[in-house]
């Protein structure tokens, strides 16, 4: 007890006193979640509190712009009981969040407040919420393989430490289950999972599966369900990335999972449209798509600290449209993508990875020549079978016409067994490479 009191007193002694007057503003307009405040000229990114009655929690808002001498803020909660003329005060430092080891083993929301029933997280290391733009040469090359625990990916689209990989699929095809399996089997020092815009039930299930046992001490969950405010969803993705950057600066190998990148783009779109920005590509303003690029570019290897952020980003293809603007933007900036197919999922095959459409742009740099040769050969067999699947099912194909297709048909069951994997299973990278070599030996190479 005395030690605790001593620590608190020492923190108070170190704190710099602030004698400046507290500036207050007043709400003069409210349009949805966007409010206008007069008399408070706060920088963009500042968190503010709306003063209410003593028995009510003070709603939080974030400054997102200014117009005509008034500050434009977006509430981080609901507008219920908000009144015209209510006083608003700024708090904290704009664009800065607290990060640190105190977050390990915890589940928090977009403001860093605990949602796991534990005590408040008292981290004291400041970090820029939007990240710090660094030189391109600060990102060192991807030269080491990354073990994700999924046999099909380890063997045919091998990841690298510091790679940014997208998992692209429509709704209900198994993105979250695949990411869950990869988090469980990943070889990393720290795993940070951002569940942005997902169902609250999925958040509860994920925390129940991963936040226990020996791996809890290396896992952080940042969860902002779909019913929360748009800017809170965006802050959740930025907080998860800031935490990853902090641990990378300590020389750690971090796995950063964002599920989903599309929900982040939707949140950024809501904010941009509220501020009057014009929708361009299918209703997405340019700033919404730029938000995706900024988030992804913050991951990668650090030449200074030797740490790495290996990024896994789920991308929802609305209506299974692979030309969706978010999908196109993400695919152009990512270092590879895994495409999940609804047709494959409907056959009861999981994970429903479309092997010919999936690739890792760093596989050549992180695998041995023999592994690459076997992977290319197997990809060719899978592509030959999938490209002629309808002819084979109709009986229109005559054996002997295409030797590669004949091999693919003869090995179809072993190939399917190799690609299939239960949700609770994990296969290491050496096991995956050995299984691939054994399969190709059976195929006569």
């Amino acid at each position: 007890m005395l030690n605790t009191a001593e620590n608190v007193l020492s923190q108070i002694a170190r704190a710099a006193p602030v004698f400046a007057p507290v500036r207050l503003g007043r709400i003069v307009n409210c349009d949805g979640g966007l409010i206008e405040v007069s008399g408070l000229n706060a920088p963009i990114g500042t968190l503010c509190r709306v003063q209410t009655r003593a028995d009510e929690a003070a709603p939080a808002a974030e400054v997102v712009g200014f117009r005509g001498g008034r500050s434009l803020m977006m509430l981080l909660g609901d507008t219920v009981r908000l009144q015209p003329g209510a006083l608003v005060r700024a708090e904290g430092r704009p664009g800065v969040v607290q990060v640190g080891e105190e977050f390990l083993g915890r589940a928090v929301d977009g403001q860093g407040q605990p949602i796991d029933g534990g005590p408040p997280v008292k981290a004291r290391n400041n970090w820029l919420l939007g990240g710090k733009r660094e030189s391109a040469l600060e990102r060192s090359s991807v030269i080491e393989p990354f073990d994700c625990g999924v046999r099909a990916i380890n063997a045919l689209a091998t990841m690298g430490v510091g790679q940014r990989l997208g998992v692209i699929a429509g709704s209900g095809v198994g993105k979250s289950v695949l990411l869950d399996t990869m988090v469980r089997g990943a070889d990393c020092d720290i795993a940070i999972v951002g569940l942005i815009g997902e169902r609250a039930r999925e958040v509860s299930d994920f925390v129940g599966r991963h936040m226990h046992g020996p791996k809890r001490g290396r896992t952080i969950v940042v969860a902002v369900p779909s019913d929360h405010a748009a800017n809170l969803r965006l802050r959740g993705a930025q907080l998860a990335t800031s935490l990853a950057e902090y641990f990378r600066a300590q020389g750690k190998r971090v796995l950063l999972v964002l599920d989903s990148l599309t929900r982040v783009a939707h949140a950024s779109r809501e904010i941009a449209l509220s501020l009057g920005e014009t929708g361009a590509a299918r209703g997405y303003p340019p700033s919404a798509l730029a938000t995706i690029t900024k988030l992804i570019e913050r991951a990668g290897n650090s030449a200074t600290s030797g740490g790495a952020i290996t990024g896994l980003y789920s991308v929802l293809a609305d209506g299974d449209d692979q030309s969706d603007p978010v999908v196109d933007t993400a695919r152009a900036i990512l270092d590879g993508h895994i495409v999940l197919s609804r047709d494959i999922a409907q056959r009861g095959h999981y994970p429903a990875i479309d092997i010919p459409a999936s690739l890792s742009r760093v596989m050549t740099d992180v695998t041995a020549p023999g592994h690459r040769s076997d992977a290319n050969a197997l990809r060719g067999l899978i592509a030959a079978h999938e490209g002629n699947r309808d002819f084979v099912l109709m009986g229109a194909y005559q054996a002997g016409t295409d030797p590669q297709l004949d091999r693919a048909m003869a090995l179809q069951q072993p190939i399917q067994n190799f690609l299939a994997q239960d949700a609770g299973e994990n296969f290491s990278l050496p096991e995956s490479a050995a299984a691939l070599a054994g399969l190709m030996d059976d195929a006569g190479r």
Side-chain angles (χ1 to χ4, degrees):
M1 188 67 176
L2 291 174
N3 289 337
T4 302
E6 204 173 295
N7 290 335
V8 173
L9 290 173
S10 65
Q11 292 169 16
I12 294 174
R14 289 196 302 268
V18 179
F19 300 106
V22 177
R23 298 199 60 178
L24 299 174
R26 288 190 181 274
I27 296 177
V28 295
N29 191 22
C30 177
D31 184 7
L34 186 69
I35 60 176
E36 292 187 24
V37 178
S38 65
L40 182 61
N41 298 325
I44 292 177
T46 304
L47 281 181
C48 301
R49 292 281 175 183
V50 181
Q51 293 189 0
T52 56
R53 297 189 313 183
D55 59 340
E56 295 179 356
E62 180 185 2
V63 179
V64 295
F66 42 84
R67 182 188 301 133
R70 295 175 178 175
S71 296
L72 303 179
M73 305 182 186
M74 288 203 73
L75 286 172
L76 299 181
D78 298 323
T79 58
V80 178
R81 304 184 69 89
L82 202 65
Q83 295 180 338
L87 293 174
V88 181
R89 59 179 173 82
E91 62 178 26
R93 297 176 57 188
V96 175
V97 291
Q98 277 66 51
V99 297
E101 287 76 7
E102 295 84 356
F103 280 93
L104 292 172
R106 303 301 304 274
V108 299
D109 63 11
Q111 299 183 74
Q113 302 301 317
I115 60 173
D116 54 7
V121 181
K122 297 182 179 179
R124 294 181 178 84
N125 297 297
N126 293 326
W127 202 268
L128 291 176
L129 184 63
K132 183 177 67 173
R133 184 166 297 169
E134 298 174 318
S135 166
L137 297 181
E138 169 62 16
R139 293 288 173 265
S140 56
S141 301
V142 178
I143 56 175
E144 296 183 47
F146 179 85
D147 190 350
C148 69
V150 178
R151 181 167 53 196
I153 298 176
N154 277 341
L156 303 177
T158 311
M159 297 177 60
V161 175
Q163 181 181 6
R164 293 85 54 87
L165 185 78
V167 178
I168 303 172
S171 58
V173 186
K175 297 187 305 300
S176 297
V177 175
L178 178 60
L179 291 175
D180 188 270
T181 303
M182 296 173 80
V183 171
R184 184 183 295 110
D187 181 16
C188 61
D189 299 325
I190 306 290
I192 300 174
V193 182
L195 301 175
I196 311 300
E198 298 300 313
R199 296 181 289 274
R201 178 191 59 79
E202 288 189 350
V203 175
S204 178
D205 291 347
F206 186 92
V207 171
R209 286 192 302 269
H210 292 272
M211 302 301 282
H212 61 82
K215 290 189 176 182
R216 175 176 181 173
R218 69 174 182 92
T219 305
I220 303 171
V221 176
V222 181
V224 187
S226 57
D227 60 338
H228 286 58
N231 52 337
L232 192 57
R233 280 177 268 147
L234 179 57
R235 286 182 70 91
Q238 293 174 325
L239 174 60
T241 307
S242 295
L243 286 165
E245 287 178 323
Y246 168 78
F247 286 108
R248 178 179 62 188
Q250 313 305 311
K252 303 291 186 181
R253 293 189 173 186
V254 183
L255 173 65
L256 172 63
V257 178
L258 276 186
D259 185 16
S260 75
L261 201 62
T262 304
R263 305 302 187 195
V264 176
H266 289 176
S268 184
R269 177 176 61 182
E270 290 181 42
I271 297 172
L273 293 178
S274 297
L275 293 173
E277 191 173 343
T278 305
R282 298 194 191 178
Y284 286 97
S287 64
L289 299 179
T291 299
I292 297 176
T293 303
K294 291 177 183 177
L295 272 178
I296 294 174
E297 277 299 308
R298 293 171 66 179
N301 293 323
S302 172
T304 302
S305 68
I309 299 176
T310 304
L312 283 176
Y313 304 90
S314 73
V315 185
L316 176 64
D318 289 330
D320 292 338
D321 183 6
Q322 297 293 324
S323 62
D324 179 83
V326 178
V327 176
D328 270 346
T329 302
R331 189 163 42 203
I333 197 68
L334 289 167
D335 301 321
H337 52 270
I338 303 298
V339 178
L340 302 186
S341 166
R342 191 174 300 277
D343 290 338
I344 296 176
Q346 288 173 346
R347 300 174 203 162
H349 180 96
Y350 292 97
I353 300 175
D354 186 347
I355 297 297
S358 304
L359 62 89
S360 170
R361 295 177 179 174
V362 303
M363 184 173 178
T364 304
D365 301 320
V366 299
T367 55
H371 182 170
R372 293 197 299 273
S373 177
D374 289 343
N376 291 335
L378 182 55
R379 292 173 70 95
L381 293 176
I382 296 171
H385 185 270
E386 289 298 320
N388 295 277
R389 179 180 176 81
D390 292 340
F391 290 103
V392 172
L393 292 178
M394 288 188 300
Y397 174 73
Q398 184 177 359
T401 304
D402 185 345
Q404 187 178 35
L405 181 55
D406 291 338
R407 292 177 64 203
M409 292 173 60
L411 288 169
Q412 194 53 213
Q413 193 56 51
I415 291 175
Q416 295 304 313
N417 293 339
F418 174 81
L419 297 178
Q421 181 173 330
D422 291 335
E425 288 185 305
N426 286 111
F427 296 93
S428 68
L429 184 57
E431 290 174 339
S432 304
L436 172 63
L439 178 62
M440 298 315 297
D441 285 339
D442 294 340
R445 296 192 183 274

